[in-house]
Amino acid sequence: MFNEEPAYYSIIPAPVRYDKRLTPSAKILYAEITSLTNQLGFCYANNRYFEELYQVSKQSINSWLKQLEEYGYIERHIYRDKGSKEILNRYITIFEKPIQINFNRSIQEIFKENNKYLNNKSNNYLKGRKSLNPRKKQKK
């Protein structure tokens, strides 16, 4: 699948690093997934790639992926052929638990919190002040 080793960095954020439910190998797999995700925005490596990379069995890779998915650190998207149900593609996306709430919200809801009314309100407050520079003496 990949002819070269990825030259991208890997990340293991604190929630993953300190999650005692994850095996150390699952944490390293997470780091590899982040590295591949940095390249394209998602990871499309198949299990065979991970098996060869880490010299482990298919069962080990499946177990580590299951842990990461079960505890909410990755999501696997599987696309099957409609006729035969054969897996055509599998993509893995990553996310950290603190930001998961945004995945259940529409983009309109997220941007609604940052609307012009709130921005103008704070700008109007600042315009009403005599000076924004505390060192500059204000005229009375």
Side-chain angles (χ1 to χ4, degrees):
M1 174 170 261
F2 297 100
N3 296 331
E4 301 176 13
E5 289 184 25
Y8 299 96
Y9 60 89
S10 296
I11 298 172
I12 305 177
V16 174
R17 206 168 52 243
Y18 299 117
D19 192 331
K20 294 185 185 317
R21 301 169 298 180
L22 297 174
T23 63
S25 298
K27 294 173 186 182
I28 298 299
L29 179 60
Y30 181 88
E32 182 64 23
I33 292 168
T34 67
S35 177
L36 296 171
T37 299
N38 286 330
Q39 186 178 10
L40 299 170
F42 58 89
C43 172
Y44 64 89
N46 60 25
N47 286 7
R48 180 168 290 132
Y49 169 78
F50 295 125
E51 292 166 30
E52 292 173 6
L53 180 67
Y54 295 116
Q55 296 295 296
V56 296
S57 68
K58 182 179 181 178
Q59 291 79 13
S60 293
I61 297 300
N62 282 331
S63 171
W64 303 341
L65 287 169
K66 184 178 177 185
Q67 286 176 43
L68 292 168
E69 189 170 40
E70 181 180 342
Y71 298 121
Y73 296 110
I74 66 166
E75 186 172 7
R76 291 184 274 185
H77 309 274
I78 298 172
Y79 299 93
R80 297 180 185 271
D81 181 40
K82 290 182 182 180
S84 68
K85 301 292 183 187
E86 176 186 352
I87 295 176
L88 300 173
N89 291 309
R90 191 261 325 258
Y91 302 102
I92 301 171
T93 55
I94 60 170
F95 47 89
E96 296 179 42
K97 283 192 177 272
I99 62 170
Q100 278 186 350
I101 58 167
N102 288 333
F103 288 115
N104 296 324
R105 298 169 56 195
S106 70
I107 196 73
Q108 289 81 12
E109 288 178 299
I110 293 168
F111 286 125
K112 187 176 183 181
E113 295 171 3
N114 186 15
N115 64 32
K116 289 182 182 180
Y117 171 76
L118 294 175
N119 289 336
N120 288 338
K121 185 176 179 181
S122 63
N123 289 338
N124 290 336
Y125 169 76
L126 293 174
K127 286 179 186 175
R129 298 187 60 190
K130 300 277 184 191
S131 172
L132 297 179
N133 186 346
R135 294 183 186 158
K136 187 175 177 182
K137 292 185 179 181
Q138 294 181 4
K139 294 181 183 179
K140 292 185 180 183

